[in-house]
């Protein structure tokens, strides 16, 4: 273990058709990991990731197991090639499940079932078209919270992902989010735009999904992880299996505190963060959070080689 290396796993939004194709050509663990999850769910996740169609890949109940498999596949390749184990892990939203599985808290096949159900519960909680998410760029956190409060007018509008300084995602009822976008523009936001997602994650509209998830989590074996995992909901490490379950339930309807998560990893002595997944989304955010940290995305053979050289130097 390298005490200064952390590993982070992305959530929804990092998926794309053809993802991890180059890595899969060189490392059998990629397809093997996808097959493991596919067998459990009776869905060909690799075909979906490789060929789409995009609307199927982007359906929450499909995206979540695909992204779980992608993160775990990259992590397994990383370890197989001599990449150092992490001193601490974290995942952005859905990525927290990948982190927990990689850290030995949740069995991979069991968590594949769990996240597919989580996606269904989320989809069922809010009728299509009723909810929305938007990104607000160029305003501070408090300004975004204020404009959400002013936009609500009896509906839901909340700041839900604190991704980097000046980048906050909001979620809630579509009409309220549309009002919030207009208020953000009036307040001088650099950009305020709807996100192409099918559910409004991490807001109060997800409470019905959280109740179903809580019931399912009671049937799932949860252990304390072998590697510490910092949770989104309270930027802390769970002290028991029940605490992990509770944090995962709360995560569905409470904000992702990603800026604080990266800061907490640095406070634990982390200097290098490896992003295990099919894109560079968390790397981009991380560079805006703290320029003194090194972020190394691993998504293809070239980036894997670069990250291994850096971590094993």
């Amino acid at each position: 273990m390298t005490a200064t290396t952390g590993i982070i796993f992305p959530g929804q939004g990092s998926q794309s058709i053809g993802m991890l194709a180059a890595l899969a050509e060189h490392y059998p663990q990629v397809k093997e990991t996808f097959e493991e999850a596919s067998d459990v769910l009776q869905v060909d996740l690799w075909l979906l990731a490789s060929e789409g169609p995009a609307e199927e890949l982007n359906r929450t109940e499909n995206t979540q197991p695909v992204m779980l498999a992608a993160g775990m596949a990259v992590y397994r390749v990383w370890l197989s090639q001599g990449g150092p184990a992490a001193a601490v892990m974290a995942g952005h939203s859905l990525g927290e499940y990948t982190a927990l599985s990689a850290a030995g808290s949740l069995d991979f096949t069991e968590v594949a079932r769990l996240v597919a159900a989580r996606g269904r519960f989320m989809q069922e909680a809010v009728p299509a078209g009723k909810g929305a998410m938007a990104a607000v760029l160029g305003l501070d956190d408090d300004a975004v919270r204020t404009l959400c409060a002013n936009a609500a007018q009896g509906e839901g509008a909340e700041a839900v992902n604190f991704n980097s300084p000046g980048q906050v995602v909001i979620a809630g009822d579509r009409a309220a989010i549309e009002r919030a976008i207009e208020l953000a523009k009036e307040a001088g936001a650099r950009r305020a735009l709807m996100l192409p997602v099918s559910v409004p994650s991490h807001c109060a509209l997800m409470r019905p999904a959280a109740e179903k998830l809580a019931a399912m989590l009671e049937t799932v074996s949860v252990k304390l992880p072998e590697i510490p995992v910092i949770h989104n909901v309270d930027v802390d490490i769970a002290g028991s299996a029940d605490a992990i379950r509770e944090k995962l339930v709360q995560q569905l309807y409470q904000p992702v505190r990603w800026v604080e998560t990266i800061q907490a990893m640095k406070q634990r002595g982390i200097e290098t963060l490896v992003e295990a997944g099919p894109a560079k989304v968390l790397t981009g955010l991380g560079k805006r959070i703290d320029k003194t940290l090194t972020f190394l995305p691993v998504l293809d053979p070239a980036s894997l080689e670069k990250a291994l050289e850096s971590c094993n130097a």
Side-chain angles (χ1 to χ4, degrees):
M1 181 178 80
T2 304
T4 58
T5 300
I7 295 183
I8 49 178
F9 296 92
Q12 290 180 241
S14 289
Q15 74 276 7
S16 63
I17 293 170
M19 61 196 232
L20 300 184
L23 202 66
E25 281 179 26
H26 294 82
Y27 303 101
Q29 293 94 337
V30 176
K31 287 186 182 175
E32 286 167 6
T33 303
F34 272 81
E35 283 167 12
E36 212 178 311
S38 297
D39 289 348
V40 172
L41 300 176
Q42 299 297 294
V43 177
D44 191 334
L45 297 176
W46 182 251
L47 185 67
L48 195 57
S50 301
E51 299 180 16
E55 56 270 24
E56 279 300 302
L57 177 60
N58 292 334
R59 275 179 59 207
T60 296
E61 63 190 81
N62 291 329
T63 311
Q64 297 203 21
V66 164
M67 284 302 301
L68 171 79
M72 186 59 79
V74 172
Y75 180 63
R76 287 173 173 176
V77 170
W78 172 254
L79 292 182
S80 77
Q81 297 308 300
V88 63
M89 292 182 172
H92 188 286
S93 187
L94 170 80
E96 190 165 291
Y97 288 79
T98 323
L100 287 165
S101 187
S105 174
L106 295 168
D107 174 75
F108 177 66
T109 53
E110 206 163 24
V111 83
R113 252 189 233 101
L114 185 62
V115 299
R118 179 181 183 265
R120 282 196 304 278
F121 299 155
M122 292 169 75
Q123 202 78 65
E124 291 161 5
V126 181
K130 184 180 185 297
M133 298 183 82
V136 179
L137 309 182
L139 296 179
D140 69 34
D141 295 354
D142 284 339
V144 176
R145 289 188 186 101
T146 299
L147 68 87
C148 282
N150 292 336
Q153 298 177 21
E155 294 182 300
E158 301 169 49
V160 297
N161 288 5
F162 297 95
N163 285 335
S164 69
Q167 185 184 327
V168 180
V169 173
I170 61 177
D173 292 287
R174 177 168 288 275
I177 297 305
E178 287 170 350
R179 290 191 293 270
I181 287 174
E182 292 310 309
L183 289 175
K185 290 174 181 174
E186 289 170 18
R190 197 165 71 248
R191 288 181 78 194
L193 67 162
M194 284 287 188
L195 295 176
V197 296
S198 57
V199 293
S201 304
H202 305 294
C203 72
L205 294 175
M206 288 293 109
R207 280 185 179 271
E211 290 173 13
K212 293 178 183 176
L213 181 67
M216 187 170 180
L217 275 164
E218 288 303 319
T219 71
V220 171
S221 173
V222 180
K223 297 183 289 189
L224 281 176
E226 293 152 20
I227 298 165
V229 174
I230 297 176
H231 290 265
N232 291 177
V233 74
D234 58 2
V235 198
D236 205 356
I237 292 160
S240 68
D242 282 344
I244 291 170
R245 289 188 179 94
E246 183 57 32
K247 288 173 195 281
L248 291 175
V249 171
Q250 290 176 1
Q251 190 220 49
L252 262 189
Y253 60 84
Q254 291 193 19
V256 173
R257 295 162 60 181
W258 192 247
V259 173
E260 293 171 87
T261 298
I262 297 300
Q263 291 167 342
M265 295 178 98
K266 183 180 179 178
Q267 286 163 9
R268 293 178 70 89
I270 297 301
E271 297 170 2
T272 301
L273 283 155
V274 175
E275 177 178 2
K280 304 176 184 178
V281 172
L282 298 183
T283 295
L285 296 177
K287 288 175 179 176
R288 292 197 287 277
I289 294 169
D290 192 326
K291 289 181 169 58
T292 69
L293 293 170
T294 299
F295 289 86
L296 299 168
V298 174
L299 64 153
D300 57 23
S303 59
L304 172 64
E305 190 175 335
K306 181 183 175 184
L308 288 168
E309 280 178 14
S310 179
C311 286
N312 293 326

